[in-house]
Amino acid sequence: GIEILADAPHAFPPADPAALRSALAGFPVSNLNGNTFRGGFAPSLIDEDPKSRRLRTDYVKGVIDLARAIGASTVCTCSGPLPDGVSKSRAREFLIGSLERILAHAEPDIRVGIESEPGFFVGDVKSLSPILEEIDHPLLGVNFDVGHAVCVGDGFQDAFDVFGDRIWNLHVEDIQDRV
């Protein structure tokens, strides 16, 4: 299926679902990508400022609403980079809280995949696994990016072994020189 970026210039919520369905002309949508917000990664789900976290969480909820409206069953998002002055334990708290609110909105039918982004708080298999274990929600899984795995030195077979059937969507790409 087709993955649609839920950001400018493609389908920034609130997009017109009817126009989007018409433009797709029967192509299935594999995923709505909510990794960026207005062209960037900020605000993030782990920002120290609660209003910023809520803005990002509300954006992902809008992506979920758009997914429902166009018949997609999966969205993805990412943690964002670790903000200056925020400890890893605090960032984890922020991320868990944000994801719990997102998952409550996703129930009962939209799967949410976390994408590991090199250099982000959740940037590899090792940092993503404990989040999935702690939340252990049937709608929470992985948007697995093979190129990102190569960049951070994760073996993709290892990732498939760890995440298994919790991989909701797959990105395959060339990344030159691990950049």
Side-chain angles (χ1 to χ4, degrees), residues 9-30:
H10 300 140
F12 185 77
D16 178 355
L20 190 53
R21 279 192 308 270
S22 175
L24 291 167
F27 283 103
V29 177
S30 65

Side-chain angles (χ1 to χ4, degrees), residues 36-51:
T36 60
F37 179 74
R38 297 182 181 158
F41 291 106
S44 78
L45 299 175
I46 61 172
D47 276 348
E48 189 167 28
D49 176 44
K51 289 180 183 176

Side-chain angles (χ1 to χ4, degrees), residues 110-173:
I110 302 295
R111 297 179 299 178
V112 177
I114 304 300
E115 183 170 342
S116 298
E117 294 273 351
F120 279 17
F121 178 65
V122 173
D124 55 19
V125 170
K126 184 178 178 184
S127 58
L128 179 52
S129 295
I131 301 297
L132 294 177
E133 288 173 18
E134 183 169 335
I135 295 178
D136 193 29
H137 192 287
L139 293 175
L140 183 63
V142 178
N143 186 68
F144 184 65
D145 189 306
V146 174
H148 292 172
V150 169
C151 283
V152 298
D154 284 340
F156 36 95
Q157 183 60 52
D158 294 337
F160 284 107
D161 291 344
V162 170
F163 300 132
D165 62 359
R166 291 185 80 176
I167 296 175
W168 302 155
N169 192 50
L170 182 69
H171 288 173
V172 180
E173 64 204 346

